[in-house]
Amino acid sequence: MFFSSWTPPTPIEQQLQAATARGDWDGQIGAVAAAELFVAVARVEADGLVPPAPLAPYRDPASGKRCLPVLTRGALPLWQPDWVFQRTTLDALALEWPNDKWHLAVNPGQPAAAVLPATPLDRAAWLEVYAETPPPAPGRLASLYTGPLHGPLAQGLACGAPLSVRDGVPWNELGTVYRDYDEDRAVLRDTWGVADPAGWWHLTERLLAGAGAGRDAEFALRAREGLAEHAGSADAPPATEEWRQAVIQVLVHRAAPEAEVRAMDAAVTRIAEAEERLRGEAVLRPGQRVASAAAHDLACAVTVARLGLAARLCGPADAERVVLSAGETARRTYGSWPAFAAGFLLGRALRPGGGAGDPRTAVHGLPDLRGHADAGSAPAGTADAGSTPAGTAGDHAALLAHRVLTTDPASPWLNIPWS
């Protein structure tokens, strides 16, 4: 049978294929209503270098109908430099449909294909089904069944999974889009201050270096590790006051300026308070400590790699290099997925800049398919909620992603060995 060896990339393609096979029009519309849909656009048009071409149908060879094509996320082609994709939804298509005689071709030429009539009555039905289709739940784990699931690349992508869960995109996708070309470019430009390949390279190198939590915090964490090793208490952290005094003594011995001593003292306090909150959320066990806060920057590096590839600021090999580097650094720094997860949440809690955040180290929250911000996410283009105090919506979103990744049987953190 034609479909016997085909693996649907996501549940949407699986539902669409099954509905088409049984001739279920309602099932087809239900699957399309729940899907992100993408329209191919020449990059020169998307960048405004040439006027946009008018919509033109093609004649579908299977049905003989004149159709406008759209693709679901799992049906997107391999990355190409000169063709990009813009996101749409079934209700937007229904409201903007250009010709009553044309049909809608979903995933043409693929196993999960459907050709749907688009008369005014059909489009009215689309709107009804779309209105009754619930939006994706916040904090959901999404995977591409055809994407990397094992090996170094999958492990690197899994380091970015907390942000993928928050943004509602598959954790193991490195390809044509993150959300869509226009939005991905806008996020890089407006949130990260990146608009060209050179800026993208600079940002990824900075994130891979783990500089986001601040030099003071990382110095304090390393000092605590050294103190614990010296005391032979590898399984328990030294008391906060002992740790504080040891750090201050090192700085005084180095004749550090008073301002640096005060900053380091503040860093110790912030780390101790943040870890206590993590113990209250059962992220850390009593007495457990975090070795480094770099996990947050490594997760950001993976996300920026995916955004840069989607925005055509880099090629697949460059994006893959960043993802692999993030995974390698994570393995050198942490001993397990739980340790990495705790480091991510601590790094997020230590973001500089208070409530405003640091746009150079921010991650974005993105609207869901209905155009509203995901529950618990910052609006698109704003700084990472990780710079806000505990108890905020962003704090809730980060903890929700953590719980999903540590409990969902399909989580990469439960299926990919750490080393």
Side-chain angles (χ1 to χ4, degrees), residues 115 121-122 142 163 168 180 203-204 213 227 259 268 315 335 344 356 384 389 392 418:
V115 176
L121 286 177
D122 292 314
L163 307 183
D180 78 356
L203 177 60
T204 57
L227 185 63
V268 169
F344 173 86
D384 179 19
T392 63
W418 182 250

Side-chain angles (χ1 to χ4, degrees), residues 273-344:
E273 291 174 349
E275 287 183 330
E276 194 58 34
R277 291 195 298 270
L278 294 179
R279 292 186 188 97
E281 296 290 348
V283 173
L284 292 175
R285 299 187 304 274
Q288 189 179 10
R289 65 182 184 272
V290 178
S292 169
H296 188 277
D297 278 8
L298 297 176
C300 290
V302 172
T303 301
V304 167
R306 296 179 62 182
L307 284 166
L309 184 61
R312 303 319 191 258
L313 297 186
C314 69
D318 297 330
E320 185 172 317
R321 181 196 69 81
V322 173
V323 173
L324 290 171
S325 294
E328 291 168 2
T329 302
R331 287 192 298 273
R332 289 196 305 267
T333 307
Y334 301 95
S336 65
W337 282 116
F340 176 86
F344 173 86

Side-chain angles (χ1 to χ4, degrees), residues 199-291:
W200 179 85
W201 275 111
H202 176 75
L203 177 60
T204 57
E205 292 300 320
R206 181 174 181 270
L207 291 170
L208 288 172
R215 182 177 61 86
D216 295 338
E218 282 301 310
F219 178 88
L221 288 167
R222 288 196 301 272
R224 183 173 63 178
E225 290 300 296
L227 185 63
E229 182 178 349
H230 179 74
S233 56
D235 295 331
T240 300
E241 189 57 33
E242 179 187 2
W243 172 29
R244 185 195 315 277
Q245 291 301 323
V247 169
I248 291 175
Q249 286 176 11
V250 170
L251 294 179
V252 170
H253 179 73
R254 294 180 179 179
E258 180 62 27
E260 185 176 343
V261 175
R262 289 196 302 270
M264 198 65 67
D265 185 69
V268 169
T269 299
R270 292 172 62 212
I271 293 168
E273 291 174 349
E275 287 183 330
E276 194 58 34
R277 291 195 298 270
L278 294 179
R279 292 186 188 97
E281 296 290 348
V283 173
L284 292 175
R285 299 187 304 274
Q288 189 179 10
R289 65 182 184 272
V290 178

Side-chain angles (χ1 to χ4, degrees), residues 7-413:
T7 299
T10 77
I12 291 293
E13 289 78 34
Q14 185 176 33
Q15 295 166 19
L16 188 57
Q17 181 203 17
T20 300
R22 63 177 181 263
D24 179 2
W25 185 88
D26 290 337
Q28 289 177 321
I29 295 300
V32 176
E36 293 176 290
L37 302 175
F38 297 88
V39 178
V41 180
R43 183 179 171 188
V44 289
E45 293 180 22
D47 290 344
L49 301 178
V50 300
L55 287 174
Y58 80 103
R59 189 167 297 280
D60 182 64
S63 65
K65 307 294 186 182
R66 293 177 66 80
C67 303
L68 287 180
V70 297
L71 298 172
T72 58
R73 180 180 281 271
L76 289 170
L78 295 176
W79 184 92
Q80 302 174 52
D82 298 326
W83 283 92
V84 299
F85 289 84
Q86 294 173 336
R87 192 163 51 109
T88 187
T89 52
L90 187 62
D91 69 328
L93 291 170
L95 295 172
E96 300 169 3
W97 196 257
N99 190 311
D100 293 345
K101 295 182 179 180
W102 295 352
H103 286 58
L104 175 65
V106 184
N107 302 337
Q110 302 190 32
V115 176
L116 305 173
T119 67
L121 286 177
D122 292 314
R123 301 198 304 273
W126 296 359
L127 291 171
E128 290 181 8
V129 173
Y130 186 86
E132 295 170 356
T133 302
R140 62 191 176 95
L141 176 68
S143 304
L144 280 183
Y145 304 141
T146 51
L149 294 170
H150 305 285
L153 182 60
Q155 186 173 23
L157 288 167
C159 290
L163 307 183
S164 301
V165 169
R166 193 195 67 175
D167 291 341
V169 299
W171 68 268
N172 62 334
E173 185 178 29
L174 187 63
T176 298
V177 301
Y178 189 81
R179 290 306 289 255
D180 78 356
Y181 180 71
D182 291 343
E183 189 168 356
D184 296 339
R185 287 179 66 87
V187 166
L188 283 170
R189 180 187 65 244
D190 299 338
T191 299
W192 297 84
V194 169
D196 55 35
W200 179 85
W201 275 111
H202 176 75
L203 177 60
T204 57
E205 292 300 320
R206 181 174 181 270
L207 291 170
L208 288 172
R215 182 177 61 86
D216 295 338
E218 282 301 310
F219 178 88
L221 288 167
R222 288 196 301 272
R224 183 173 63 178
E225 290 300 296
L227 185 63
E229 182 178 349
H230 179 74
S233 56
D235 295 331
T240 300
E241 189 57 33
E242 179 187 2
W243 172 29
R244 185 195 315 277
Q245 291 301 323
V247 169
I248 291 175
Q249 286 176 11
V250 170
L251 294 179
V252 170
H253 179 73
R254 294 180 179 179
E258 180 62 27
E260 185 176 343
V261 175
R262 289 196 302 270
M264 198 65 67
D265 185 69
V268 169
T269 299
R270 292 172 62 212
I271 293 168
E273 291 174 349
E275 287 183 330
E276 194 58 34
R277 291 195 298 270
L278 294 179
R279 292 186 188 97
E281 296 290 348
V283 173
L284 292 175
R285 299 187 304 274
Q288 189 179 10
R289 65 182 184 272
V290 178
S292 169
H296 188 277
D297 278 8
L298 297 176
C300 290
V302 172
T303 301
V304 167
R306 296 179 62 182
L307 284 166
L309 184 61
R312 303 319 191 258
L313 297 186
C314 69
D318 297 330
E320 185 172 317
R321 181 196 69 81
V322 173
V323 173
L324 290 171
S325 294
E328 291 168 2
T329 302
R331 287 192 298 273
R332 289 196 305 267
T333 307
Y334 301 95
S336 65
W337 282 116
F340 176 86
F344 173 86
L345 290 174
L346 178 63
R348 180 192 167 281
L350 298 178
R351 307 320 298 166
D358 178 356
R360 294 168 299 173
T361 57
V363 265
H364 60 297
L366 293 166
D368 66 19
L369 299 186
R370 304 302 187 271
H372 302 294
D374 294 339
S377 293
T382 63
D384 179 19
S387 59
T388 59
T392 63
D395 192 64
H396 171 74
L399 289 170
L400 176 60
H402 173 85
R403 287 168 183 149
V404 167
L405 287 164
T406 53
T407 60
D408 192 315
S411 168
W413 290 5

